[in-house]
Amino acid sequence: MKVLHVITGLGVGGAERQLRLLLRHLPARCDVVTLTNPGAVAEGLRADGVRVRHLGMRGNRDLAAVPRLARLIRHGGYDLVHTHLYRACVHGRIAARLAGTPSVATEHSLGREEIEGRPLTRGTRALYLRTERLGAATVAVSSTVAARLRAWGVPSTRIHTVPNGIDARAFRFDGGRRRAARALLGLPEDAFVVGGVGRLVPGKRFDATVRAVATLPGAWLLLAGDGPEAGALRALAGRLGVADRVRFAGECGEGAAPDVPGVLAAMDVFVSASREESFGLAVVEALAAGLPVVHGACPAVEDLPPGQVPPGAVRLRSPTDPAAELTAVLRRHLAHGPRRLPVPHALDRYDIRLSGRRLMDVYAHALGGPAPAPSAAVPSDPYVHSEPYAPSCPPAPSIRRAHR
């Protein structure tokens, strides 16, 4: 099977990183087209041996982009087109229909009020629904997103839930990695480090984390990622007098910045105060690293059955400004001291190999096969590791003591 993946851009982000990881585990020949911004993930895909093309789309009203993409699909002899993110889904579905090729779309970014980081408008929703009918199936990355699609009017028979996945082994805690990352980032070896990973945009509410850390003299803050809020967050740290205790690592793996497992190893507690999310990949990665997690909206945790919610994950309840609530939670973590937790068994359902197999079932259905079976509540699958995930060293009551 030959598949063309079409995505809005390939800068560093959750959907973009997920695509790169997924292509390593799909038993299909895959090429990638990015409509705009062939950034760091494009370079990573090429390093993996994936062919990446930049369509050079100049804006949402670049009407020539659709026929260019249709010609590329037709001449490439693809069996299937798989689109990712709102703009790529709209343009890619139309182009695939013009080329006479079946298409599947993954909905990574549908929130209650935003899609692909943009406010949801009546026109946006109408265009999405009109083009959704052109594809063979729509993949939701969480049960929460599937419910939103149904509420919009997308028929349940067209929606297939394939959760985002990770390779949990890559995030297992390693003391050497922790020391190396802290030295690289200028973090004291014995500091208590609060951390966050993601695009620096308003919806992630990183400002609340900066405000909370500013009230805790014994805490440091590590933010990994980049985006339009970077300057405002630096200025906020300066106004609050904590610039010396805040580290901005930039995009993980770029320049001198450690990769995601490295920055997670450097942290002692992970915060994701997002107002809304479609999945919450960074939270899952932090749990795989054995970190206590404080989170806002996170379908990856909220969709779990009550008995499987990781005990190390604490939910923020404030709908507007969570800084005060976050401060209280972080103060308790600071008093307890650094610790690593066992990796939750619930993360088995987010194994990237399982995601790849489920997606191949959707592909087969899009090409005329039977509909995939509904996802089981607890996967029993040969693609999932038979042994439970665990940190590379046993949980210790104090990382500071364990690594001196």
Side-chain angles (χ1 to χ4, degrees), residues 130-382:
R130 282 200 297 270
T131 57
E132 194 279 336
R133 302 186 187 102
L134 300 177
T138 294
V139 174
V141 298
S142 65
S143 298
T144 296
V145 170
R148 289 171 184 164
L149 289 167
R150 287 193 295 270
W152 274 26
V154 179
S156 295
T157 54
R158 295 178 54 79
I159 302 170
H160 306 273
T161 302
V162 179
N164 284 332
I166 66 168
D167 183 352
R169 295 170 299 184
F171 296 92
R172 288 176 175 171
F173 178 74
D174 178 88
R177 178 188 281 166
R178 175 186 176 88
R179 289 189 292 273
R182 287 197 167 200
L184 186 63
L185 295 166
L187 292 166
E189 188 173 338
D190 62 350
F192 185 91
V193 178
V194 178
V197 175
R199 284 272 296 158
L200 304 184
V201 294
K204 299 289 187 180
R205 300 198 294 191
F206 286 117
D207 61 312
T209 310
V210 175
R211 293 179 189 279
V213 169
T215 67
L216 301 171
W220 290 61
L221 176 60
L222 169 59
L223 294 180
D226 202 358
E229 288 291 291
L233 290 169
R234 289 179 185 272
L236 176 62
R239 288 197 304 273
L240 296 175
V242 293
D244 60 332
R245 290 193 282 121
V246 179
R247 295 289 182 269
F248 290 88
E251 292 182 342
C252 293
E254 292 300 297
D259 58 10
V260 177
V263 296
L264 292 176
M267 297 173 187
D268 296 304
V269 60
F270 185 87
V271 176
S272 173
S274 295
R275 182 170 54 246
E276 66 175 21
E277 291 278 0
S278 57
F279 182 74
L281 187 64
V283 168
V284 175
E285 292 171 342
L287 290 168
L291 282 168
V293 167
V294 187
H295 67 90
C298 182
V301 173
E302 294 158 10
D303 291 348
L304 293 171
Q308 294 187 32
V309 174
V314 175
R315 175 74 155 95
L316 293 170
R317 299 296 175 184
S318 173
T320 52
D321 183 4
E325 182 184 4
L326 181 56
T327 299
V329 176
L330 291 179
R331 184 173 286 112
R332 292 196 295 271
H333 280 292
L334 184 60
H336 190 283
R339 59 187 175 134
R340 233 60 184 188
L341 303 174
V343 180
H345 291 291
L347 295 197
D348 286 1
R349 69 174 57 222
Y350 300 136
D351 184 273
I352 189 62
R353 282 151 285 269
L354 181 56
S355 299
R357 183 179 178 185
R358 287 176 173 168
L359 190 56
M360 290 301 295
D361 289 342
V362 177
Y363 286 180
H365 173 58
L367 294 174
S375 300
V378 179
S380 176
D381 193 284

Side-chain angles (χ1 to χ4, degrees), residues 17-26 352 355-356 359:
R17 290 174 49 227
Q18 181 66 191
L19 175 60
R20 183 184 178 191
L21 181 60
L22 185 64
L23 294 193
R24 296 174 177 173
H25 298 278
L26 278 181
I352 189 62
S355 299
L359 190 56

